[in-house]
Structures are given as C-alpha cells and as structure tokens.
C-alpha cells in the first residue's frame, strides 16, 4: 500500500537519554502540529534528524532510539556533530536564513558549509530512498532541504514530490547574490509541487527561476526538462480547536487549579486594581522577529504617552534558539541590555514596564499568556507566516483582545482586521499601542469575530489537505500528458504505418525542432546531424519532405537551397519545390513595412537585447535576450500599439516563442500545409513542431495525420516528444 513520507530537518519528537534509556516528548512547533493530521494517517512515515548526534550514540543506544522512533512512525537520519555544524548552524542558519529574511549583511558564504549542506541533503536522500516504494508520496519541508527534491527525483524519476517553504522566498535581487543560486533552484524544482505561504514569495521564486535558469513559465507552471513543476501559495493555518478549547478550559479553572504563572499574573492585576493591561510578545529569540525594535518602540511609547506608565506592561517571552550562531548571541546581549535599560529608566516601586522570560514554556503557560493579555504586539522585520498571531486570536474565547501585527509577516496578508504596522516606524507603533489599549470592546469583538471565522475554516488540517490534494492533481495532470508522450510502441506504430504507406508527406519545423534556439537567429545554422536526418527521410521512397518555417526566404535558401527537400518559409508565404525556383504561395505586399518598422525600431531602442528581423513579407520583433519581465511587458505594449496601427489593414500579429511577428493575414503554416495536401492523395501525413505557429498546422491538417509537439506545452497535437533529441530518435525510426 502506498504511503506518505514527510521529511523535515527535525523529527516531531524531542529525545532525551536518561539512564541509558530513551525518553520521547512531542515537539510543539508550527510544523510539527501542522503535519500531525497527515502523519496520523496509518500509512505515513516521518524522516528527519532525531536531535542526537552520532557521537552521542553507541550501537546499543542507536537501536533504542530507532525502536522509540518506530513507535511514532519516525525514522532518523544519522548526522554527526560536524554535519550539524556545517549544515544546520552553518549554511542553513548562517547563509539561507538571513538571506531569505533580507538580512544580507548577516549572510555568510562559506564553501565548507555549502559542501556539508550538500552532503547532508544527500544523507537525507539516502534514507528516503531506502524507505521509498513505488506509488509513495513525498512531502519535503523547508529551507534546510532545498536540494532534496532533485536528489530524490534523480534516482526515482516518477515519484510524486511536494515541497513547502516555511520562510519567505526573497526577491530575485537578493536571491541572485547566492553563489550556489542555480543549484538551489534546480534542487527545489525536483518537486512536482512547490508551496509557499504567500503569493509574494511565489512570485519572487518564479522570477528567480525565469531570470536565473531561463525556464519557461506559464502562469504558475514551470517546464523543467521533461516535466511540469507547479508553484502555488498555501497560507499555513493553526490547530484552531486546540488553542480555542485550551483557552475555554483555562477560563473554567478555579484559582487553585491555575498555573503558577497565571496565579502570579492574577496577583499583580489584583494589586494594581485591574488597572494595568498586558501587552504580549512571544517569539523565538531571532533577529528576524524585530524584538529589539519592539523594545525601543515600547520605550518610545512610554515616553510619548506617559499617562500609560504604571498602567501597562510588556510581557515578553523570548524562546532560546540557535544559540551556537554568533548573531544570536549578540542579539541576546542586546535584548538583555535593552530590557535592563528600559526597566531601569521607568520602573516604579510597584511597577516594572517589562516582564522578560528567556526560556521555553509549557503549552498551558502559553495559553495563560494568550488569554491574559489585552494586546499582542508582534513586530517581525520579516516572518514567513507567524503562527503566534493566529494562536493569540484563536485563544480569545470572548473575542476581546487586540492584535498589532507587522506588515512584514505572511500572516498580515490574511489578517487585515488586525492593526497592521510597519515594524520600523516607531511613531506608528507607539500610536497603535495607544489605539489598541483604548479600543472599544465592540470593535475588538467585531474584528476578532471575522478573524476567528477565517482561522477556524482555514485551519492547519485544511492547509495540509489542500497541499496534498493539489499535489495529487499535479501528478494527474502530468499523467494526462504522459498518455500522449511518444513511447516505443507509438513509435513502432508510426514507423509501421510509414513503411506501409504509398504516398507520404512530412512537415518539419526548423527552430526548436531540428535545432535548439540560439541567442541570435543567424547562429542557429543547420548541423551535419540536421542534413543527415533530412537526407535520410528524403531518400525514402514516395516521401515528400517539407521544411516549414517562419524564417526568411534568403536564410533558408542559403542554408538549404542546395538540397532537394521542399522548403516553405515565412509561415507559408514562399514555396520552393525540388529543383525549382521560389514562388509566392500567397499574393502579398510589404508596403506596410514603412509604417510599422519604425515602431518596432523604437521599441528596440528602449529594450536592451531586443532586435528587429526584416523578412520579405513580415517583420519580427525578437525579445529572447531581453530581461524576461521587461520583455513580456514590452511585448504586451507592442502588441496593443500595433493592433491599433493595423486596424483596417490586412495584417495580423503572430505570437511565437519570444517573438512578435507582423504579417499579412491569412498566411499561416496551416494554410500552406493544407495546400500541399491537394497535390496528391497522401496516405501518411506527419507534422512536427514546437512553436505556437505550428499549432496552425496541427489544427488544419486532417485528423488522421500524425501530429507531434516538441516540448511540454499546451497543444492540440495528440502526441508529444520532450526535446530535440527525441525528435531525432523518432524520425530515425522511419527507415
Ligand atoms: C517558522 C517561520 C512560520 C513559541 N514559544 C513557545 C512555543 N512556541 C510555538 C508557538 C508557535 C511556534 O512555536 C512558533 O511559530 P512561528 O510561526 O511564530 O515562528 P517560527 O518558529 O519562526 O516558524 C514562520 C512557521 O515556520 C510555520 O511555517 O509561520 O514564519 O519562521 O506555534 O506556539 N510553544 C511552547 N512554548 C513556548 O515557549 N509550547
């Protein structure tokens, strides 16, 4: 039976060695709870690091660890101290984490940590491959494992792989600074489906793929060699019920049943005659979370609005994190100092402005803090999503409480009823704290009702199911196209029909079909391989071979004029039969050039990398070498400009692969191909091409013709091959 394999850097369990035995406790983080519903399915395993290095384990303990993990359907990836240093503290947290959060000045590029990152991703791949059987689905998580999708794909090309990034994907301008940017993108693109928290991260990723790898992108589908990878956003939710129910339970507790922390909070509130309001902040101690900014903004708030001194307090929980990375140690010192400084500056005998906890708290204390705080102040400088914001709202059973949230979090996209602030604007934060503390209850309830409704509906289970469903449909889509792929049996069938037929005609496109695209059109000259293939086909009995192209007559004459195959150029404007002169297939004129050519030239002047090609009866504006986004934008503007100019003329615009062509309407590969069929009664008709312009040919040729598209693109052709090599492979079967 097929299963789901979840893979993340850490397993969702904490292990402890106590007296030579292993104790396990479940992890609490967002990823662990999020994936619980997928993992609780019977057929699921979770692969990751156990938290214990090889140096901490002997063979006996390793067996015990493995047995303990097995009970929770977990499998560990054995890692050494050195692996953790280079892979986790090094490349993951000293390079990718800062860079992906736009802290470029913190990002270190070190060859040795990159090498370890590659090695550890390989170690993960080995464990996955040992446990992978046909039909399994793989779901890989986060920035520590960017290379893993491709490492698995290389060994198991047909496996269904999903990847989700929990942190932001930065803009191309930032991502491009990574020396290993290509490897990372290719690694990620091993997946069939790539998920991000927000559309912005998705768009940044697509832009990097387009600019760095030059892959073709169609909406959110990327053509990767012979497959489609789909990109989409899935904003992660929380286990709403867990937080909501825990808060209900908390509110029902008698004084005695309450936790020590809750009793402490109650005592203070009583002493302060319930005058004092709590502002909560919870994060891992991380520079991306904007903790120092938050403290400074709170200090500014107390200065600007002194009437709140003694009446409000910041409760700050900072959970220790990555304390082996130097930046985190520096941050810890900075925050310790700031808290001391602010408390020293404002404290009164019965009041200190900040309660600061530097530790992790059990879940029930988290609920104490969520339920007791009138305001949550979350000010990350960057944050992929921020689940704390969602948990705070879910815990507000009576819907009272105000969330102040940084616009730099993924969560801000979905939580527009919160008070959204810019974490760098202290003035705004100070004013917003005042607004929050004074917000009427009805307004709080109104805002939180809307927020809760959404959080309840799009919870973490829905998030995980949506991702898995989408992965399922992505695979089905590609399976649909595999049905049309030319495999050995289709090839044999075509070759047999070819041999049996008495009159055969073959339409062969040139660029993208016989030869790959070159930066400049004149550089895509035919190689000996092209001539050998065409000569071979031409030598077959009763076979008419037609090279049919959008290229200009003169170039094709120069390259193929000495050969005997039939040539059709400029999308069907010109025809050259064996040993004859060129003739016009359509009555054409080119007087319109003088009004259109200057427009194209003006676009070329403003668009670096573009060029105008003048054919006899058409003009083409090429933008293959233009920055992809600029190229698309200019092509769209050009189209609308030209459309306006050609209205009432017998002209049309043809959109090819990175080219816009203006030509006399009615001329097309389809029309000219159909004309060629009237000469004889052909009983074998074959057409192959890669471009949009070849679609005319596929549409107009009769149904019984064999029509083959080159590459995985939208097509009306019933068959496709993946690349030019496969074109050769197919055509050489016809002899
Ligand atoms: C990354 C991305 C993205 C925190 N302190 C305690 C505690 N927590 C729990 C919270 C929450 C989780 O940890 C923190 O999640 P966040 O989303 O806020 O932040 P990151 O850890 O940075 O997570 C982030 C997330 O991945 C998911 O994709 O949202 O943007 O950076 O669930 O409740 N839990 C307990 N004690 C604590 O002291 N028990």
């Amino acid at each position: 039976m097929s299963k789901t394999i979840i893979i993340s850097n850490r397993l969702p369990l904490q292990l402890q060695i106590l007296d030579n035995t292993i104790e396990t406790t479940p992890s609490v983080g967002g990823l662990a709870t999020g994936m619980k519903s997928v993992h609780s399915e019977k057929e699921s395993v979770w692969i990751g690091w156990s938290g214990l290095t090889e140096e901490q384990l002997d063979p006996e303990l390793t067996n015990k660890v493995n047995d303990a993990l097995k009970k929770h359907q977990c499998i560990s990836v054995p890692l050494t101290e050195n692996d953790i240093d280079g892979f986790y503290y090094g490349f993951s947290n000293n390079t990718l984490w800062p860079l992906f959060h736009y802290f470029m000045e913190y990002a270190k590029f070190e060859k040795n940590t990159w090498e370890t990152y590659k090695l550890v991703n390989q170690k993960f791949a080995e464990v996955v491959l040992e446990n992978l059987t046909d039909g399994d689905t793989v779901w890989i998580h986060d920035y520590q494992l960017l290379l893993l999708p491709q490492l698995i794909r290389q060994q198991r090309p047909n496996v269904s792989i999903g990847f989700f990034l929990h942190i932001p994907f930065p803009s191309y301008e930032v991502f491009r600074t990574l020396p290993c940017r290509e490897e990372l993108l290719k690694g990620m693109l091993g997946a069939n489906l790539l998920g991000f928290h927000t559309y912005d991260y998705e768009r940044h990723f697509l832009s990097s793929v387009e600019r760095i790898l030059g892959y073709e992108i169609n909406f959110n589908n990327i053509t990767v060699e012979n497959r489609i990878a789909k990109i989409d956003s899935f904003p992660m939710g929380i286990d709403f019920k867990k937080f909501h129910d825990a808060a209900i339970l908390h509110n029902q507790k008698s004084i005695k049943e309450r936790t020590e922390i809750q009793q402490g909070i109650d005592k203070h509130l009583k002493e302060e005659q319930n005058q004092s309001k709590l502002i909560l902040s919870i994060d891992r101690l991380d520079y991306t979370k904007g903790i120092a900014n938050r403290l400074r903004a709170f200090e500014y708030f107390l200065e600007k609005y002194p009437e709140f001194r003694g009446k409000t307090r910041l409760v700050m929980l900072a959970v220790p994190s990555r304390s082996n990375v130097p930046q985190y140690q520096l941050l810890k010192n900075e925050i310790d100092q700031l808290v001391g400084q602010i408390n020293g500056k404002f404290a009164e005998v019965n009041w200190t402005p900040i309660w600061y906890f530097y530790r992790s708290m059990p879940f029930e204390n988290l609920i104490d803090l969520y339920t007791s705080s009138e305001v949550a102040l979350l000010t990350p400088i960057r944050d992929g999503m921020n689940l704390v914001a969602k948990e705070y709202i879910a815990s507000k059973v009576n819907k009272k409480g105000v969330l102040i949230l940084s616009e730099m979090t993924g969560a801000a996209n979905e939580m527009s009823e919160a008070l959204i602030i810019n974490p760098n604007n202290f003035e705004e934060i100070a004013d917003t704290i005042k607004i929050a503390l004074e917000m009427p209850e009805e307004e709080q309830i109104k805002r939180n009702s809307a927020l809760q409704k959404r959080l309840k509906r799009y919870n973490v289970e829905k998030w995980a199911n949506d991702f898995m469903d989408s992965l399922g449909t992505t695979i089905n889509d590609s399976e649909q196209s595999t049905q049309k792929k030319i495999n050995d049996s289709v090839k044999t069938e075509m070759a047999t029909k070819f041999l049996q037929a008495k009159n055969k005609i073959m339409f062969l496109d040139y660029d993208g079909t016989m030869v790959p695209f070159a930066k400049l059109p004149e550089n895509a000259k035919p190689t000996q391989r092209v001539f050998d293939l065409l000569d071979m086909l031409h030598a077959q009995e009763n076979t008419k071979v037609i090279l049919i192209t959008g290229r200009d007559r003169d170039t094709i004459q120069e390259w193929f004029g000495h050969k005997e195959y039939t040539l059709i150029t400029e999308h069907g404007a010109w025809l050259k039969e064996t040993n004859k002169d060129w003739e016009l297939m359509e009555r054409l004129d080119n007087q319109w050039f003088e009004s259109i050519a200057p427009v194209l030239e003006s676009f070329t002047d403003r668009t670096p990398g573009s060029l105008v090609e003048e054919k006899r009866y058409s003009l083409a504006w090429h933008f293959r070498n233009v920055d992809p986004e600029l190229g698309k934008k200019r092509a769209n503007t050009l189209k609308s400009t030209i459309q306006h100019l050609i209205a009432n003329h017998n002209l049309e615009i043809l959109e090819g692969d990175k080219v816009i062509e203006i030509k006399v309407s009615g001329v097309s590969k389809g029309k000219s191909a159909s004309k060629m069929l009237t000469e004889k009664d052909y009983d074998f008709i074959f057409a192959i091409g890669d471009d949009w312009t070849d679609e005319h040919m596929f549409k107009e040729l009769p149904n019984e013709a064999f029509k083959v598209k080159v590459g995985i693109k939208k097509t009306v052709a019933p068959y496709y091959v993946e690349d030019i090599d496969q074109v050769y492979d197919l055509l050489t079967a016809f002899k």
Side-chain angles (χ1 to χ4, degrees):
M1 190 179 163
S2 59
K3 61 181 181 299
T4 303
I5 303 182
I6 301 163
I7 308 149
S8 63
N9 169 41
R10 288 295 296 272
L11 287 169
L13 294 171
Q14 306 278 356
L15 296 188
Q16 267 186 313
I17 308 172
L18 287 176
D19 296 335
N20 223 25
T21 60
I22 304 294
E23 285 227 334
T24 55
T25 43
S27 308
V28 278
L31 177 81
T33 36
M35 294 306 294
K36 214 173 63 188
S37 57
V38 180
H39 189 47
S40 60
E41 287 169 15
K42 253 196 272 143
E43 290 302 321
S44 150
V45 293
W46 194 314
I47 293 176
W49 182 50
S50 69
L52 299 170
T53 59
E54 288 304 277
E55 288 81 352
Q56 290 172 280
L57 298 167
D58 55 31
E60 192 195 340
L61 271 175
T62 304
N63 285 338
K64 286 184 180 169
V65 166
N66 291 342
D67 288 345
L69 292 177
K70 208 172 166 188
K71 288 190 190 124
H72 299 269
Q73 295 161 240
C74 288
I75 296 170
S76 95
V77 178
L79 297 181
T80 63
E81 264 168 36
N82 191 44
D83 289 340
I84 292 299
D85 267 358
F87 153 76
Y88 180 71
Y89 292 111
F91 195 74
S92 297
N93 287 325
N94 227 349
T95 307
L96 293 178
W97 177 271
L99 196 89
F100 278 36
H101 287 88
Y102 295 81
F103 282 79
M104 287 180 75
E105 69 280 20
Y106 290 178
K108 300 267 176 307
F109 305 116
E110 286 165 358
K111 192 167 182 299
N112 57 337
T113 62
W114 165 236
E115 293 302 330
T116 314
Y117 184 85
K118 287 196 279 187
L119 183 94
V120 171
N121 270 256
Q122 187 60 50
K123 287 189 176 185
F124 269 79
E126 278 155 24
V127 179
V128 176
L129 291 166
E130 277 164 24
N131 290 281
L132 185 68
T133 35
D134 284 345
D136 287 351
T137 301
V138 174
W139 190 358
I140 301 165
H141 290 267
D142 230 359
Y143 64 104
Q144 300 92 348
L145 301 173
L146 297 179
L147 301 175
L148 187 56
Q150 179 60 9
L151 291 172
I152 299 174
R153 172 82 50 214
Q154 274 163 2
Q155 301 300 320
R156 305 290 276 271
N158 296 323
V159 70
S160 154
I161 304 175
F163 177 88
F164 191 84
L165 186 71
H166 289 261
I167 65 173
F169 194 91
S171 126
Y172 160 71
E173 286 300 338
V174 170
F175 183 76
R176 73 192 296 206
T177 60
L178 270 172
C180 51
R181 57 204 182 177
E182 281 186 31
E183 287 102 315
L184 292 176
L185 290 178
K186 285 184 179 163
M188 292 172 81
L189 284 172
N192 302 85
L193 173 67
L194 288 120
F196 299 88
H197 280 306
T198 72
Y199 173 67
D200 282 331
Y201 309 154
E202 176 190 333
R203 144 180 102 70
H204 290 155
F205 176 75
L206 288 171
S207 155
S208 286
V209 169
E210 189 166 45
R211 284 150 190 262
I212 294 168
L213 300 180
Y215 287 177
E216 190 178 324
I217 296 174
N218 200 346
F219 295 104
N220 55 348
N221 291 329
I222 304 179
T223 309
V224 188
E225 289 161 6
N226 52 5
R227 302 179 288 116
I228 300 280
K230 187 170 144 191
I231 320 301
D232 213 339
S233 55
F234 302 86
M236 187 174 179
I238 55 160
D239 187 343
F240 183 89
K241 197 168 175 316
K242 179 178 158 192
F243 284 87
H244 200 70
D245 290 355
I248 293 175
L249 208 67
H250 170 276
N251 294 350
Q252 290 166 348
K253 278 185 186 162
S254 66
I255 295 181
K256 268 199 205 147
E257 287 172 320
R258 293 183 188 170
T259 62
E260 209 176 305
I261 289 218
Q262 186 61 50
Q263 292 188 19
I265 295 173
D266 292 343
K267 185 170 155 265
H268 270 274
L269 290 178
K270 203 171 159 199
E271 280 165 10
E272 289 156 12
Q273 290 157 1
N274 287 333
Q275 291 293 306
S276 180
K277 290 188 172 178
L278 297 185
I279 301 175
L280 177 67
S281 106
I282 297 187
D283 330 74
R284 276 184 310 99
L285 190 108
D286 197 301
Y287 48 82
T288 60
K289 303 286 182 181
I291 303 174
N293 274 22
R294 189 175 316 163
L295 287 167
R296 290 199 182 92
F298 184 63
E299 178 182 19
Y300 181 65
F301 162 75
L302 292 176
E303 263 162 18
K304 188 170 178 185
Y305 300 108
E307 65 272 27
F308 284 97
R309 293 183 198 169
K311 293 205 180 119
T312 187
R313 175 175 278 126
L314 180 66
V315 184
M316 199 172 84
L317 172 61
V319 181
S321 176
R322 303 172 196 169
S323 37
N324 285 17
V325 179
Q327 291 300 346
Y328 289 72
Q329 293 155 6
L330 291 174
L331 179 71
K332 164 80 173 49
N333 293 341
E334 187 188 0
I335 287 170
D336 286 353
Q337 275 183 17
L338 270 171
V339 171
Q341 190 185 308
I342 299 168
N343 275 343
K345 187 166 164 188
F346 296 101
E348 293 162 12
V349 180
N350 294 322
W351 176 75
T352 36
I354 303 169
W355 281 343
Y356 171 40
F357 302 93
Y358 175 64
R359 55 173 180 260
S360 170
M361 287 194 182
F363 177 70
E364 55 177 352
N365 290 141
L366 212 61
I367 298 295
D368 293 338
L369 297 181
Y370 283 149
T371 49
S372 308
S373 310
E374 278 80 4
V375 175
L377 178 61
L378 305 173
T379 59
I381 309 289
R382 289 281 162 183
D383 208 341
M385 174 51 72
N386 194 300
L387 299 178
V388 172
K390 296 185 171 184
E391 294 167 1
Y392 174 73
I393 295 295
S395 309
K396 291 297 178 194
V397 177
N398 57 13
K399 300 192 171 63
K400 281 184 263 174
V402 184
L403 171 64
I404 303 177
L405 182 61
S406 160
E407 68 176 69
M408 308 300 173
T409 62
N413 286 315
E414 301 158 68
M415 303 184 83
S416 53
E417 292 83 0
L419 299 180
I420 306 292
I421 48 96
N422 175 344
N424 302 308
N425 187 340
F426 290 1
E427 202 69 46
E428 186 187 34
I429 299 177
D431 293 347
T432 309
I433 295 177
K434 182 170 183 289
I435 293 171
L437 291 169
E438 293 175 342
M439 186 183 283
E441 281 189 354
E442 313 82 77
E443 188 179 342
Q444 298 180 25
I445 293 171
K446 195 170 159 218
R447 287 171 185 260
N448 291 338
S449 302
L451 286 169
Q452 285 192 353
K453 203 169 152 202
R454 223 171 296 136
L455 292 177
K456 202 168 167 180
R457 196 177 53 232
Y458 200 85
N459 62 15
V460 71
E461 201 174 336
K462 178 99 175 63
W463 167 78
N465 289 341
D466 273 8
F467 185 91
M468 289 307 264
D469 289 351
S470 179
L471 180 57
T473 52
T474 310
I475 305 305
N476 290 341
D477 287 354
S478 357
E479 268 165 10
Q480 254 170 24
S481 37
T482 356
Q483 286 165 358
K484 301 206 288 183
K485 185 177 158 184
I486 295 204
N487 54 23
D488 282 348
S489 73
V490 178
K491 198 164 71 182
T492 315
E493 185 199 327
M494 280 189 194
T496 313
K497 292 250 168 71
F498 178 84
L499 288 176
Q500 287 165 351
K502 297 204 171 58
N503 285 312
K504 311 160 209 188
I505 187 163
M506 303 183 82
F507 297 96
L508 312 171
D509 169 49
Y510 182 68
D511 293 276
T513 301
M514 297 279 123
V515 290
F517 287 100
K519 282 205 161 209
L520 295 172
E522 62 266 31
N523 289 348
K525 286 191 180 130
T527 55
Q528 194 52 46
R529 180 162 94 142
V530 177
F531 290 124
D532 289 347
L533 180 77
L534 295 176
D535 288 347
M536 179 281 284
L537 291 172
H538 181 71
Q540 303 302 307
E541 257 175 59
N542 302 322
T543 305
K544 184 168 183 124
V545 175
I546 304 178
L547 198 64
I548 182 163
T549 166
R551 278 193 177 256
D552 70 287
R553 193 190 98 168
D554 296 344
T555 307
I556 293 297
Q557 168 64 29
E558 187 192 327
W559 291 350
F560 293 100
H562 60 294
K563 291 288 182 184
E564 292 194 331
Y565 351 113
T566 302
L567 306 171
I568 295 180
T569 63
E570 298 182 35
H571 308 290
W574 291 98
L575 167 70
K576 185 180 183 306
E577 292 278 18
T578 312
N579 300 328
K580 287 198 185 147
D581 276 341
W582 287 95
E583 57 176 298
L584 268 175
M585 290 188 93
E586 298 285 337
R587 276 177 164 277
L588 298 171
D589 84 276
N590 58 9
Q591 282 171 3
W592 50 274
F593 275 26
E594 53 197 63
S595 52
I596 302 291
V599 180
L600 299 189
E601 293 299 348
S602 80
F603 270 76
T604 301
D605 290 344
R606 290 185 296 127
T607 316
S610 66
L611 60 99
V612 177
E613 186 188 0
E614 194 172 315
K615 305 181 189 178
R616 286 192 182 228
Y617 291 101
S618 69
L619 290 172
W621 186 74
H622 292 267
F623 58 99
R624 177 164 303 280
N625 303 325
V626 178
D627 169 276
E629 270 167 35
L630 177 67
K632 252 190 255 165
K633 206 172 96 190
R634 285 282 151 77
N636 280 336
T637 324
L638 176 65
K639 254 188 326 183
S640 47
T641 314
I642 299 281
Q643 247 148 16
H644 180 69
L645 289 173
I646 63 175
N648 305 325
H649 291 83
N650 189 26
L651 296 175
E652 69 180 10
I653 299 171
L654 201 67
E655 277 185 79
D657 189 347
K658 307 275 187 314
V659 57
I660 299 274
E661 189 155 353
I662 297 100
K663 63 176 193 53
V664 175
S665 57
V667 176
S668 77
K669 282 188 177 180
K671 202 168 166 203
S672 53
S674 301
K675 258 191 199 165
M676 303 306 290
L677 294 187
T678 56
E679 290 172 351
K680 254 190 203 162
D681 206 2
Y682 289 104
D683 53 356
F684 181 90
I685 305 167
F686 177 93
I688 190 163
D690 71 302
D691 199 346
W692 195 82
T693 58
D694 298 309
E695 293 296 311
H696 285 147
M697 183 163 76
F698 298 144
K699 272 184 204 142
E700 296 208 19
L701 288 174
N703 289 344
E704 64 270 23
F706 289 105
K707 303 165 189 177
V708 184
K709 181 84 167 180
V710 184
I712 305 172
K713 295 173 197 163
K714 210 166 180 310
T715 180
V716 294
Y719 300 103
Y720 80 88
V721 290
E722 286 163 0
D723 52 31
I724 293 177
D725 283 341
Q726 290 187 7
V727 173
Y728 281 79
D729 188 47
L730 171 64
L731 292 177
T732 38
F734 296 154
K735 64 175 177 191

